[in-house]
């Protein structure tokens, strides 16, 4: 992986102007209460360029007037007392070898060295408003250069945000990244299968959450990629429900949206099951409609296709289906044009997936739908949600159903990363009958 991180840094250097510097700050520790911190999650952009998981760090890429590049790391120094309490630090002596940087310095020296590094450069690349301490550090360095005596001291002329082009880099996954994402998906598939086998009336939502998290950790993915959603009954209509505290009741559905983080990369699967093992007639009708929406969307995916095309294909299945069930009235074309389906299908079809569960990268280019390219990883997750107070026949009220899979666009179409979790209604009922 060291070579992979070095190659990414070289790509950044190629985009930088001569006589410039790019600053990439690590994430900061966040206090939970008193002397307890939240679990540390490294900044995704910093991780993408370094593979370094400690807080209190700064990566500096320097490009000379001749185009030569240099990579410097400022990180926490070794400290036996601090490491006794808080864990081991890499320090500076081994950082060059393990991370492939040219030089490493103590973060304690950065305030003195940063003005010297930025002096007489034309451009500084920095992501503003992400970390207040990082903004202040850069502001102090620039102010020192501006108030110093010229020509010895000269501040850079231009401050440019590096996020747009780094996020474009992150959008197309390398083979190394895809291998990690396949493993993240494999772990998540096994976790969902475990939850399916455990699902039965009398348990609580948190029991299924525990099964998922156990399966994640047992396979080397210690943490969820996001707060797991286990919504039974009407809770399935809450898109980001995370209380996970209600009982699993006979006759209800349970919607599980959960993913693990494996070596930084996220997986994201949603399945909806009948808690008792069999769908009611009403549940089956809605479930089959969501399944048909997803199948129609998947058929529209491949190079040069767009996510909008896939969404339109899903909606073209949804609206006639809602008409057939009596949940909408009118003509198909007019209902689609008026987006009359929005009370039932209120989110987008999918999102990018990578180091972040809602990964970076634009969906549009110059206000036009962006053609998909090989190496893009995304989710496809149609759903139907019918609120308790919806003006529909009572049997349909309070039902929430979503199906979500992860895929990578390939040269010939796409590769489904999460196909191992069953989703056809007949298969679900067959498996649940043998619990």
């Amino acid at each position: 992986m060291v070579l992979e991180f070095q190659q990414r840094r070289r790509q950044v250097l190629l985009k930088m102007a001569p006589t410039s510097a790019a600053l990439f700050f690590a994430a900061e520790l966040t206090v939970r209460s008193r002397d307890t911190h939240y679990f540390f999650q490294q900044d995704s952009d910093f991780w993408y360029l370094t593979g370094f998981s400690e807080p209190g760090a700064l990566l500096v890429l320097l490009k000379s007037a001749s185009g030569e590049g240099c990579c410097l790391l400022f990180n926490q120094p070794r400290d036996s007392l601090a490491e006794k309490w808080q864990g081991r630090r890499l320090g500076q002596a081994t950082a060059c070898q393990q991370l492939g940087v040219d030089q490493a310095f103590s973060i304690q020296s950065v305030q003195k060295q940063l003005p010297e590094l930025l002096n007489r450069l034309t451009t500084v690349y920095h992501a503003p408003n992400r970390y207040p301490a990082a903004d202040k550090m850069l502001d102090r360095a620039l102010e020192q250069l501006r108030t110093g005596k010229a020509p010895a001291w000269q501040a850079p002329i231009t401050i440019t945000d590096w996020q747009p082009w780094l996020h474009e880099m992150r959008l197309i996954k390398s083979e190394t990244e895809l291998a990690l994402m396949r493993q993240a998906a494999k772990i998540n598939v096994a976790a969902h299968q475990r939850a399916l086998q455990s699902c039965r009336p009398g348990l609580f939502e948190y029991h299924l959450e525990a099964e998922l998290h156990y399966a994640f950790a047992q396979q080397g993915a210690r943490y969820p990629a996001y707060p797991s959603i286990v919504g039974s009954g009407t809770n399935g209509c809450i898109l980001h429900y995370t209380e996970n505290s209600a009982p699993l009741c006979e006759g209800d559905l349970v919607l599980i949206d959960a993913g693990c983080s494996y070596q930084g990369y996220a997986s994201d699967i949603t399945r909806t099951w009948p808690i008792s093992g069999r769908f009611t007639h009403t549940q089956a009708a809605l479930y089959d409609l969501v399944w048909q929406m997803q199948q129609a969307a998947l058929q529209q995916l491949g190079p040069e296709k767009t996510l909008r095309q896939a969404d339109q294909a899903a909606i073209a299945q949804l609206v006639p289906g809602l008409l057939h069930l009596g949940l909408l009235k009118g003509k198909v074309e007019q209902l689609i044009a008026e987006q009359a389906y929005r009370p039932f299908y209120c989110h987008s079809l999918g999102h990018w997936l990578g180091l972040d569960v809602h990964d970076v990268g634009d969906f549009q280019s110059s206000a036009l739908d962006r053609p998909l390219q090989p190496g893009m990883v995304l989710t496809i997750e149609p759903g139907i949600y019918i609120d308790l107070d919806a003006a529909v026949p009572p049997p349909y009220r309070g039902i929430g159903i979503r199906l979500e899979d992860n895929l990578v666009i390939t040269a010939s179409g796409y590769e489904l990363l999460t196909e191992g979790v069953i989703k056809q209604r007949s298969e679900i009922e067959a498996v649940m009958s043998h619990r």
Side-chain angles (χ1 to χ4, degrees):
M1 280 296 290
V2 173
L3 293 177
E4 176 102 0
F5 294 122
Q6 289 177 318
Q7 175 60 29
R8 293 171 187 172
R9 297 195 291 264
R10 283 194 288 269
Q11 286 182 263
V12 173
L13 282 163
L14 287 173
K15 294 176 181 293
M16 293 167 55
T19 62
S20 66
L23 310 181
F24 303 90
F25 287 86
E28 300 172 352
L29 288 171
T30 303
V31 175
R32 177 178 174 178
S33 62
R34 296 185 180 272
D35 59 351
T36 302
H37 290 81
Y38 285 105
F39 168 73
F40 177 72
Q41 177 69 41
Q42 186 57 279
D43 180 275
S44 297
D45 292 317
F46 185 85
W47 173 265
Y48 181 76
L49 294 174
T50 66
F52 186 46
S53 60
E54 293 182 21
L58 166 63
L59 175 72
V60 181
L61 300 184
L62 295 171
K63 189 169 184 177
S64 68
S66 62
E68 295 180 355
C70 181
C71 177
L72 310 180
L73 179 72
F74 292 86
N75 61 326
Q76 296 180 96
R78 297 296 307 272
D79 183 322
S80 58
L81 180 59
E83 292 179 60
K84 177 80 172 177
W85 286 90
Q86 300 166 348
R88 297 181 182 90
R89 297 176 177 178
L90 182 63
Q92 288 71 55
T94 56
C96 295
Q97 179 182 359
Q98 290 195 21
L99 303 178
V101 297
D102 296 309
Q103 291 181 280
F105 306 95
S106 169
I107 192 68
Q108 296 170 357
S109 69
V110 70
Q111 201 60 64
K112 177 180 182 299
Q113 292 196 55
L114 190 58
E116 298 171 358
L117 293 172
L118 303 184
N119 187 31
R120 304 178 69 82
L121 298 182
T122 58
T123 304
V124 173
Y125 299 93
H126 171 66
N129 304 318
R130 181 178 289 194
Y131 302 114
D135 292 341
K136 290 179 182 178
M137 183 182 295
L138 176 58
D139 288 344
R140 284 195 297 266
L142 294 176
E143 184 62 22
Q144 185 173 336
L145 293 174
R146 292 178 183 128
T147 57
K149 290 186 177 180
W153 294 96
Q154 290 183 10
I157 300 169
T158 305
I159 309 295
T160 300
D161 189 348
W162 48 254
Q163 292 176 103
W165 39 266
L166 185 68
H167 292 173
E168 281 297 297
M169 285 175 53
R170 284 179 52 186
L171 181 56
I172 306 298
K173 306 300 188 286
S174 69
E175 285 304 317
T176 301
E177 291 180 288
L178 291 176
L180 294 173
M181 296 196 73
R182 290 187 184 100
Q183 183 62 20
K186 180 180 178 181
I187 292 170
N188 201 4
V189 165
H192 276 257
Q193 290 172 332
R194 183 184 179 93
L196 173 63
Q197 293 288 346
S198 303
C199 182
R200 54 182 47 85
L203 298 179
F204 284 77
E205 293 166 343
Y206 53 73
H207 287 117
L208 299 187
E209 180 184 42
E211 296 290 351
L212 291 160
H213 293 184
Y214 174 81
F216 291 164
Q218 190 183 45
Q219 299 174 88
R222 287 187 58 204
Y223 303 102
Y226 53 94
S228 298
I229 298 168
V230 183
S232 63
T234 60
N235 295 332
C237 296
I238 303 172
L239 299 183
H240 290 164
Y241 172 81
T242 56
E243 293 180 18
N244 298 351
S245 58
L248 303 181
C249 298
E250 184 86 24
D252 283 345
L253 300 178
V254 60
L255 185 155
I256 297 180
D257 185 337
C260 65
S261 179
Y262 179 73
Q263 295 191 29
Y265 286 86
S267 58
D268 186 4
I269 297 174
T270 305
R271 290 293 186 267
T272 308
W273 304 314
I275 295 169
S276 59
R278 295 194 65 82
F279 292 89
T280 67
H281 177 76
T282 303
Q283 293 167 350
L286 290 174
Y287 186 92
D288 288 348
L289 182 52
V290 175
W291 186 85
Q292 292 162 9
M293 291 172 66
Q294 193 190 50
Q295 294 305 302
L298 290 172
Q299 292 174 12
Q300 296 299 316
L301 297 176
E304 301 307 315
K305 301 290 186 67
T306 69
L307 197 56
R308 178 176 173 80
Q309 287 175 304
D311 190 39
Q312 289 174 330
I315 293 167
Q317 290 288 323
L318 171 64
V319 172
L322 294 176
L323 277 169
H324 176 73
L325 296 176
L327 304 181
L328 285 178
K329 295 181 180 180
K331 296 185 179 297
V332 171
E333 296 78 6
Q334 183 177 358
L335 292 171
I336 291 177
E338 295 175 352
Q339 297 190 345
Y341 55 85
R342 274 301 177 193
F344 308 111
Y345 175 42
C346 50
H347 56 72
S348 60
L349 179 66
H351 54 80
W352 304 130
L353 187 67
L355 286 171
D356 296 307
V357 68
H358 286 190
D359 209 30
V360 294
D362 289 334
F363 283 97
Q364 292 183 321
S365 178
S366 301
L368 298 175
D369 294 321
R370 181 170 194 161
L372 298 172
Q373 301 174 43
M376 291 179 171
V377 181
L378 64 154
T379 69
I380 296 296
E381 48 180 305
I384 294 176
Y385 316 90
I386 305 179
D387 294 333
L388 281 172
D389 59 354
V392 300
Y396 292 101
R397 296 174 188 168
I399 296 177
I401 299 171
R402 182 164 65 252
L403 294 175
E404 178 181 21
D405 283 287
N406 309 158
L407 57 92
V408 55
I409 301 299
T410 65
S412 58
Y414 66 86
E415 174 191 348
L416 196 61
L417 303 177
T418 51
E419 62 180 341
V421 189
I422 59 173
K423 58 186 172 183
Q424 284 196 340
R425 181 165 54 84
S426 59
E427 292 179 325
I428 292 171
E429 292 181 335
V431 169
M432 296 190 80
S433 69
H434 293 94
R435 290 172 296 171

